[in-house]
């Protein structure tokens, strides 16, 4: 079965529409969204409606939760805080209801066994898997819950974490995950699918993952989208200029 998994749209409808157009042309049976559909970008309603209207199975991210008022953005940087509070006022009630009904994770039965889809980490939906220690804690949680593969977003940086036979977590960064990668089905793996709407790995292209669970192959797909249009939306909305500038730099 071929599965498309994406994350961190962040209110960028120009990137989301481009991605959905590409995805339509790719053979796949399922599609999943790992959250943070809103925040940062200037089109929160359009992005939620694009996902909702296509019945794409989604989970909640931390920006989704803050927009809903589940907690306040006290730990967000000032630009992120302004954007998320702006989104609170912009979102229509039907889109608020949609986000409110999202779960924190999705369990998926695959050819490899139980797979987890979550915004941040198998340990906690809001945790970043950014270090060897984080990854090893995540793998311990996967062993405890018999999870074969975990798909995450949150960092906006595509990568793989692979657990070797001795339990060591091995990091494979973006520059070592090009092309189709066939993984060892006996090893646990955490796949960070990157970001559709705000990449942060120095590459302005959006990113998503195509997974074939039968042969356990992963392909990270990068794509161009109209960055200038997304930047103009942000500036026209009166949101912080940095949120527009960073799209062009992929940071």
């Amino acid at each position: 079965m071929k599965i498309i998994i994406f994350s961190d749209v962040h209110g960028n409808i120009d990137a989301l529409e481009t991605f959905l157009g590409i995805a339509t042309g790719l053979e796949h049976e399922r599609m999943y969204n790992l959250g943070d559909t809103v925040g940062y970008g200037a089109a929160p309603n359009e992005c939620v409606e694009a996902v909702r209207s296509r019945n794409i199975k989604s989970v909640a991210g931390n920006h989704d939760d803050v927009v809903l008022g589940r907690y306040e953005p006290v730990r967000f940087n000032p630009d992120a805080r302004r954007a998320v509070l702006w989104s609170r006022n912009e979102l229509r009630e039907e889109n608020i209801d949609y986000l409110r009904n999202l779960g924190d994770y999705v369990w998926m039965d695959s050819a490899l066994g139980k797979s987890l889809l979550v915004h941040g980490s198998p340990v906690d939906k809001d945790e970043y898997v950014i270090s060897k220690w984080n990854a090893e804690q995540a793998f311990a949680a996967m062993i405890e819950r018999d999870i074969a593969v975990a798909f995450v977003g949150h960092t906006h940086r595509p990568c793989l974490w692979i657990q070797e036979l001795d339990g060591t977590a091995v990091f494979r960064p973006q520059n070592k995950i090009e092309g189709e990668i066939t993984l060892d089905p006996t090893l646990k793996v955490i796949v960070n699918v990157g970001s559709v709407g705000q990449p942060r790995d120095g590459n302005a292209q959006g990113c998503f993952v195509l997974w074939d669970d039968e042969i356990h192959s992963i392909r990270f797909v990068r794509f161009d989208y109209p960055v200038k249009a997304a930047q103009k939306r942000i500036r026209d909305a009166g949101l912080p200029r940095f949120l527009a500038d960073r799209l062009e730099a992929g940071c």
Side-chain angles (χ1 to χ4, degrees):
M1 179 168 58
K2 292 182 173 63
I3 302 160
I4 290 175
I5 308 168
F6 68 100
S7 189
D8 294 279
V9 172
H10 280 297
N12 187 340
I13 190 61
D14 300 286
L16 179 58
E17 287 181 341
T18 302
F19 154 69
L20 290 171
I22 294 168
T24 299
L26 294 175
E27 180 187 352
H28 67 281
E29 287 72 48
R30 297 183 189 177
M31 186 183 296
Y32 294 94
N33 168 27
L34 303 186
D36 275 6
T37 304
V38 299
Y40 295 123
N45 284 299
E46 294 88 339
C47 289
V48 172
E49 287 161 9
V51 171
R52 179 165 61 90
S53 66
R54 290 168 173 80
N55 295 314
I56 298 171
K57 188 71 174 178
S58 303
V59 300
N62 59 309
H63 281 251
D64 304 324
D65 283 342
V66 173
V67 166
L68 291 172
R70 288 176 172 157
Y71 57 92
E72 295 304 314
V74 293
R75 295 186 179 181
F76 282 29
N77 67 59
D79 291 335
R81 189 180 306 121
R82 279 183 58 188
V84 81
L85 294 176
W86 177 87
S87 295
R88 276 187 189 176
N89 293 325
E90 289 292 314
L91 272 178
R92 290 188 281 273
E93 193 62 37
E94 62 270 24
N95 294 326
I96 291 172
D97 288 342
Y98 171 81
L99 292 176
R100 187 178 289 124
N101 288 319
L102 295 179
D104 289 343
Y105 52 82
V106 169
W107 295 108
M108 181 176 63
D109 291 326
S110 70
L112 293 173
K114 188 163 63 175
S115 301
L116 175 69
L117 298 102
V118 64
H119 182 65
S121 164
V123 174
D124 186 293
K125 61 171 279 191
D126 291 341
E127 180 173 288
Y128 292 92
V129 183
I130 56 175
S131 70
K132 184 176 179 181
W133 184 87
N134 293 136
E136 289 178 349
Q137 294 298 306
F139 283 129
M142 291 171 67
I143 291 170
E144 184 177 338
R145 288 182 277 173
D146 193 28
I147 300 167
V149 183
F151 292 90
V152 303
H154 201 27
T155 71
H156 300 211
R157 297 176 179 178
C159 68
L160 294 173
W161 287 95
I162 300 169
Q163 186 182 46
E164 298 289 5
L165 291 174
D166 64 359
T168 302
V170 175
F171 178 59
R172 292 181 66 177
Q174 200 276 332
N175 62 354
K176 294 185 179 179
I177 53 174
E178 296 177 353
E180 186 167 335
I181 302 162
T182 300
L183 298 167
D184 185 337
T186 68
L187 301 178
K188 295 189 181 300
V189 61
I190 300 168
V191 182
N192 191 310
V193 303
S195 171
V196 161
Q198 197 197 79
R200 294 181 187 168
D201 61 340
N203 184 343
Q205 292 179 308
C207 185
F208 65 96
V209 157
L210 182 61
W211 180 42
D212 186 330
D213 73 324
E214 296 288 342
I215 60 173
H216 199 21
S217 71
I218 294 284
R219 180 156 66 96
F220 291 84
V221 182
R222 303 303 295 244
F223 63 93
D224 293 313
Y225 72 91
V227 172
K228 298 293 186 186
Q231 291 177 309
K232 184 176 185 301
R233 289 181 196 272
I234 290 170
R235 295 181 186 121
D236 289 350
L239 291 169
R241 186 179 182 89
F242 172 69
L243 299 179
D245 293 344
R246 73 186 308 177
L247 295 180
E248 196 165 9
C251 68

